[in-house]
Structure formats: C-alpha cells, structure tokens
Amino acid sequence: GIEVAVAAMLAHPQVAHVQEYGCWAVACVCVGTDDAAALARMQRTADAGGIELIVAALQAHPQVAGVQAQGQRLRDLLA
C-alpha cells in the first residue's frame, strides 16, 4: 500500500523508475476524492511523508518526464 511505496521511494531516491512508479502507485490508491476512504488514504500519504517525498522526487529528477508527470499528478491529488 501507501507505506510500502513510500518506503521504496525513501530507500531509492536516486532511482528515477522507483520514484516514478512510487508516485504512480500512491496516486492510484488515492484516486476517488469524493469519498471519506479516499480522503483517509490521502491523509495517510501525507502522514507517511508523501508530500515531502514528492517534492524531493521532482527536484532529484527534473529531466525525467515520467517522474515529473506522476509526481505532479500525485501532488495535485494531495493539494
């Protein structure tokens, strides 16, 4: 779930594919902003350090389109 993806991203900050697919996986889990469960998942992401992690991934991989796209998608979901 969320915590596993965040842990993988934390363990491999310089691996662009881990950052890209970590953001993708968490975004997939957080989709569905209309219900309480989705909002709870978004809060779990924030509590796990997800927002800071997204920023770090975007900054670490500015030239990697996949990281930028998935990171921005997740950031927009959590905003």
Side-chain angles (χ1 to χ4, degrees):
I2 294 166
E3 292 80 6
V4 173
V6 168
M9 292 174 71
L10 285 169
H12 305 284
Q14 295 305 318
V15 181
H17 288 310
V18 173
Q19 301 305 304
E20 177 181 352
Y21 290 108
C23 288
W24 172 81
V26 174
C28 287
V29 171
C30 289
V31 168
T33 58
D34 294 339
D35 61 13
L39 294 174
R41 291 188 299 271
M42 289 179 199
Q43 186 61 52
R44 279 181 42 215
T45 300
D47 292 346
I51 295 169
E52 296 83 2
L53 195 56
I54 297 163
V55 172
L58 292 170
Q59 290 176 342
H61 304 284
Q63 301 301 320
V64 181
V67 173
Q68 295 298 308
Q70 296 303 326
Q72 290 173 13
R73 175 180 176 226
L74 180 55
R75 186 190 62 201
D76 291 348
L77 277 171
L78 298 176

